[in-house]
Amino acid sequence: MAKPADTRTAGRKPVARATRSVAETEKIRAALAARRDELRAEYDQTLSEITELQRDRLTDSAGDDQADTGTKTFEREQEISLANSIRERITQVERALERLDEGGYGWCERCGNPIPVERLAAFPSATLCVTCKQLEERR
């Protein structure tokens, strides 16, 4: 009995990977490194602000009622969530740099097809082509 075809790659022809010139690779690397550095600075600034706000909250909490305490807790959680989001974006950019070094940057991790240049311009750390990303989001 024949095995069923893999629905992710059925009907798709493997695409030969074109190699980038050294200049193109270095241009991409510089853009990714600059983005990583921007995100790190934003992350450091956010942590500094969180620390300062925490210090202020500790000294200015006398007489707080339950609503004040709840509001401060909510705000702290929002700030921490923002910092975690920035940290995740840093990780994505670092991963894109690794993929660039390994020759996999710009190629979909799921189907192996090239990721459109427009997608990479909008989201430089993309690891999936538009089709595979849409399929992932539907799940």
Side-chain angles (χ1 to χ4, degrees):
M1 177 178 255
K3 290 185 177 181
D6 184 355
T7 57
R8 291 180 299 176
T9 58
R12 293 186 185 168
K13 294 180 181 177
V15 178
R17 291 189 179 198
T19 57
R20 287 184 190 84
S21 70
V22 173
E24 289 173 321
T25 301
E26 289 309 310
K27 183 177 177 183
I28 294 167
R29 184 182 322 285
L32 288 169
R35 181 64 181 145
R36 180 196 58 211
D37 295 344
E38 288 171 13
L39 288 168
R40 283 182 178 166
E42 184 178 350
Y43 181 74
D44 291 343
Q45 178 66 29
T46 301
L47 288 182
S48 175
E49 290 172 4
I50 289 171
T51 302
E52 185 177 323
L53 288 170
Q54 281 297 105
R55 194 173 320 122
D56 291 345
R57 286 182 186 133
L58 289 174
T59 59
D60 186 32
S61 61
D64 283 355
D65 61 11
Q66 288 179 341
D68 291 334
T69 302
T71 299
K72 288 179 181 181
T73 300
F74 176 77
E75 289 173 351
R76 182 181 67 243
E77 289 173 356
Q78 291 292 98
E79 293 157 359
I80 292 170
S81 178
L82 174 63
N84 288 337
S85 174
I86 295 167
R87 183 70 210 148
E88 177 60 31
R89 292 187 348 234
I90 292 168
T91 301
Q92 290 173 349
V93 172
E94 289 172 343
R95 185 166 174 232
L97 284 164
E98 289 171 6
R99 293 184 75 222
L100 185 64
D101 291 339
E102 296 166 357
Y105 180 80
W107 298 92
C108 181
E109 288 183 338
R110 181 166 293 148
C111 69
N113 289 328
I115 299 172
V117 175
E118 298 83 8
R119 176 159 168 73
L120 290 172
F123 187 58
S125 56
T127 59
L128 300 174
C129 67
V130 175
T131 304
C132 290
K133 184 64 176 172
Q134 288 171 339
L135 288 172
E136 180 183 271
E137 289 177 354
R138 287 185 195 147
R139 292 184 185 161

